[in-house]
Amino acid sequence: MAKNIILAGFHAVGARLRKDPDSIVCVYVDPQRRDKRMSQMRAELESLGVRVMQAGHDRLNGMVSGDIPHQGIVAMAKPLEVSLTFDELMDEIRPDSLFLILDGITDPRNFGACLRSADAAGVHAVIIPKDRSATVTPAAAKAAAGAAETVPVVTVTNLASAIVELRDAGVTVVGAAGEATKTIYDFDQTGAFAWVMGAEGPGLRQLTRKRCDDLAKIPLTGSVESLNVSVATGICLFESVRQRYLKNGR
């Protein structure tokens, strides 16, 4: 039987409540927090028959790892199955499939924020390498605000080979790179399409770059030289969304 997972904070707990309240084993709340937000959450939990237990701030700190702000509420829940194998993904590619490939995103908060943008943009799956990548930790789940349980995450052993297979299946694969000559607006993203995002600093690995169909940059007009990877991910994905809306006459 799969081990229960920790959901920390109002967003993560609230998202699970909306999706599958029966999967929540119990919720621990700080009795010192008596504000309106906590009162509303407790009322919702109790109305759904979820067991609520009191736990002091120090105990809640011990239940979550690192410096994750739990906001006085932590849930123990059964994991929801949203995983997908790469073979299954390949079988499900459609003419309008949209994918997000993350190359070396190791910070769990950035990873979670990318999942949140992927969910909002209707991404069909997020593809990550087996090594050198964050996974769905409590910190990532909190940043994802529920998206970690709605967007399939596909783990592959060889990211470069996976990109080649996607291209062979008709998916246009474009990597985001600040030094690219083309911009994100120079590509038709209305067909099967995948964005590849690299880690801040090193960016895309060399072999990953070579396997992409092309590279694109987000044109920046201010003084900053780059954007946070989760912000850049949202910008790229919603350019794809914009083009698809226009194509469909919306």
Side-chain angles (χ1 to χ4, degrees):
M1 183 177 293
K3 184 179 179 181
N4 290 334
I5 62 172
I6 296 289
L7 301 173
F10 285 99
H11 278 303
V13 176
R16 177 60 73 91
L17 268 181
R18 292 188 295 273
K19 185 172 181 63
D20 188 355
D22 292 337
S23 68
I24 298 179
V25 177
C26 61
V27 177
Y28 297 87
V29 299
D30 186 346
Q32 299 300 314
R33 179 156 184 175
R34 300 176 182 143
D35 55 274
K36 182 178 179 181
R37 190 177 191 187
M38 180 63 81
S39 297
Q40 290 176 337
M41 176 62 79
R42 293 192 64 161
E44 183 177 2
L45 289 165
E46 290 166 2
S47 70
L48 292 169
V50 178
R51 184 161 60 118
V52 179
M53 303 178 66
Q54 295 189 0
H57 187 78
D58 290 341
R59 185 181 179 190
L60 293 177
N61 283 343
M63 294 176 69
V64 299
S65 59
D67 59 348
I68 303 171
H70 52 69
Q71 301 172 298
I73 182 167
V74 173
M76 295 285 292
K78 299 173 185 177
L80 296 182
E81 183 60 54
V82 293
S83 63
L84 190 69
T85 68
F86 187 70
D87 286 341
E88 290 170 337
L89 178 151
M90 294 296 292
D91 289 339
E92 295 179 7
I93 292 176
R94 306 194 305 265
D96 64 345
S97 289
L98 179 61
F99 301 110
L100 173 63
I101 302 172
L102 301 178
D103 182 24
I105 309 301
T106 57
D107 182 273
R109 290 177 178 81
N110 277 336
F111 178 66
C114 287
L115 291 182
R116 189 172 185 176
S117 293
D119 176 79
V123 166
H124 296 98
V126 174
I127 303 168
I128 62 172
K130 180 181 178 182
D131 301 316
R132 294 183 67 252
S133 177
T135 55
V136 184
T137 61
K142 180 174 175 60
E149 298 176 350
T150 59
V151 181
V153 176
V154 179
T155 302
V156 296
T157 302
N158 189 316
L159 194 63
S161 295
I163 290 173
V164 171
E165 290 192 50
L166 286 169
R167 291 177 59 188
D168 289 344
V171 180
T172 300
V173 181
V174 176
E179 70 279 9
T181 56
K182 297 179 182 178
T183 76
I184 64 171
Y185 310 117
D186 294 329
F187 297 90
D188 180 356
Q189 300 163 41
T190 58
F193 195 88
W195 279 110
V196 190
M197 312 300 296
E200 291 180 64
L204 299 175
R205 288 179 291 178
Q206 194 61 36
L207 188 56
T208 303
R209 292 169 179 266
K210 291 180 179 178
R211 295 295 183 265
C212 293
D213 284 295
D214 214 330
L215 300 176
K217 65 181 178 182
I218 299 171
L220 303 177
T221 58
S223 59
V224 298
E225 296 181 356
S226 63
L227 297 171
N228 173 278
V229 64
S230 63
V231 173
T233 295
I235 292 171
C236 290
L237 289 177
F238 275 89
E239 171 57 19
S240 302
V241 172
R242 184 190 70 83
Q243 291 189 20
R244 290 161 189 237
Y245 264 67
L246 290 176
K247 180 182 179 181
N248 294 325
R250 288 188 270 178

